[in-house]
Amino acid sequence: MIQIITDSSSLYTPSEARQAGFESVPLCVSIGDSHERDLLLDMEEYYRKIEQGLLPTSSQPPLGDVIEAFEAYAGSSIINISMADGLSGTYQTACGAREMVKNKDQITVFNSRTLCGPHRYMVTQAQKMKEDGCSLQEILDWLEKAARNTESFLIPQDFSFLKRGGRLTPLAAATGIVLKLKPIMKLTEDGMRLDKFGVKRTMISAAQSIIEYLREKELGSQHILYISHANALEDAQKMKVLFEQAFPSLEVVILELSAVFVAQGGPRCVAIQYIKR
């Protein structure tokens, strides 16, 4: 018996995950005097607090929750598909939890090296492979291949969130705010950090620069592209049209980012990610 476990980077709530046959352990998010679990809080109220000047912070799932999830499936071979190590302590928490349970030899903690859309796809496909009767090794081999065939970009609208997270120097952040520039950040191949990819003046021109880069990747029906947004649906919809025009056979899916990723990328940020099927 194989059991898939993941975290809320997959954008699955615990109830959605259980309904689909796996488990999702939420990360934690705090804002003001409120301490909540990712995907389980009122997002309208969350954005309202940010507009009032409160700054959110996020952290990995509680160690005890991960241990509890592992112990609940002590009779199964567990694959814990974690969000990218380096962007969060979530992977390390899962590794630590594994060492603290009796069934640790039955647990594989897999570093997806990605997050959000591609992470969600990896979890969904791993669950499908399990249901189709694939072996533990077959699922792990596919996950490793999938992790090597994905790229992620982030276009923030508020430099201060990236500045606070240490992803931009104070000078670069100040310059961007004054000039109203849109930075484009790209997730490194190992999934450990975000590097500067470019700077544009508008969200649409930022998306177009990503399209030009991705033309070399020959995106098509063998890929799926995710546009995930932080309360920026209109921008996401416009970008979806651009990508569908540039890559006619490409499936493009719009998702809404959870509170944890809003805390990192800021309100109205947009993530553009693809993964090979």
Side-chain angles (χ1 to χ4, degrees):
M1 183 68 177
I2 298 171
Q3 179 62 41
I4 306 297
I5 296 177
T6 188
D7 53 72
S8 59
S9 163
S10 65
L11 303 180
Y12 277 110
T13 67
S15 61
E16 289 170 341
R18 290 192 191 104
Q19 187 174 4
F22 55 93
E23 294 286 336
S24 179
V25 184
L27 280 79
C28 301
V29 61
S30 299
I31 185 166
D33 58 1
S34 176
H35 307 284
E36 306 283 352
R37 302 304 296 276
D38 195 26
L39 293 172
L40 300 179
L41 70 167
D42 184 330
M43 288 301 289
E44 287 188 11
E45 178 65 18
Y46 181 69
Y47 282 118
R48 190 156 44 244
K49 288 180 178 180
I50 293 175
E51 289 174 0
Q52 292 170 353
L54 296 177
L55 293 176
T57 58
S58 63
S59 60
Q60 63 267 31
L63 179 64
D65 286 8
V66 184
I67 291 174
E68 183 178 340
F70 287 168
E71 290 180 336
Y73 297 96
S76 302
S77 295
I78 295 171
I79 304 175
N80 186 102
I81 307 173
S82 171
M83 72 175 289
D85 185 24
L87 297 184
S88 165
T90 302
Y91 171 77
Q92 295 299 332
T93 294
C95 290
R98 177 186 180 276
E99 295 303 311
M100 300 177 71
V101 296
K102 293 180 181 179
N103 57 319
K104 68 176 184 179
D105 291 340
Q106 297 172 290
I107 301 170
T108 301
V109 180
F110 183 81
N111 175 15
S112 71
R113 305 196 290 279
T114 188
L115 64 167
C116 300
H119 186 191
R120 182 182 180 91
Y121 181 76
M122 292 169 75
V123 171
T124 303
Q125 289 302 109
Q127 177 65 24
K128 184 178 184 300
M129 291 178 73
K130 166 200 162 179
E131 294 171 356
D132 288 345
C134 294
S135 69
L136 177 71
Q137 194 58 53
E138 285 174 327
I139 296 173
L140 291 173
D141 288 347
W142 180 85
L143 286 170
E144 183 58 42
K145 182 179 178 181
R148 294 195 302 267
N149 287 280
T150 179
E151 289 185 283
S152 298
F153 303 84
L154 175 68
I155 310 171
Q157 297 237 42
D158 187 337
F159 269 62
S160 65
F161 281 77
L162 284 176
K163 176 185 174 183
R164 185 162 54 93
R167 293 184 173 88
L168 287 177
T169 65
L171 178 59
T175 302
I177 291 170
V178 171
L179 298 178
K180 300 186 183 301
L181 297 176
K182 307 298 181 187
I184 309 167
M185 311 299 289
K186 185 176 184 295
L187 187 65
T188 55
E189 188 174 344
D190 59 9
M192 294 293 290
R193 66 187 187 280
L194 290 168
D195 275 351
K196 182 180 174 182
F197 176 79
V199 178
K200 295 293 181 179
R201 289 194 174 274
T202 68
M203 293 292 281
I204 295 303
S205 61
Q208 288 171 333
S209 70
I210 295 172
I211 287 172
E212 290 308 308
Y213 168 81
L214 293 180
R215 288 190 190 279
E216 298 180 4
K217 307 294 180 176
E218 298 182 345
L219 298 191
S221 58
Q222 72 274 30
H223 299 90
I224 182 168
L225 184 128
Y226 294 91
I227 302 176
S228 304
H229 67 94
N231 201 27
L233 179 59
E234 185 177 344
D235 286 331
Q237 291 172 331
K238 290 178 180 177
M239 291 179 187
K240 183 176 188 288
V241 172
L242 292 178
F243 275 92
E244 289 175 336
Q245 290 173 343
F247 307 102
S249 62
L250 177 66
E251 180 182 358
V252 181
V253 176
I254 293 178
L255 298 172
E256 186 170 358
L257 290 169
S258 69
V260 160
F261 297 103
V262 178
Q264 299 302 316
R268 298 190 59 76
C269 72
V270 177
I272 296 174
Q273 306 169 283
Y274 78 85
I275 187 168
K276 191 170 184 179
R277 297 180 187 273

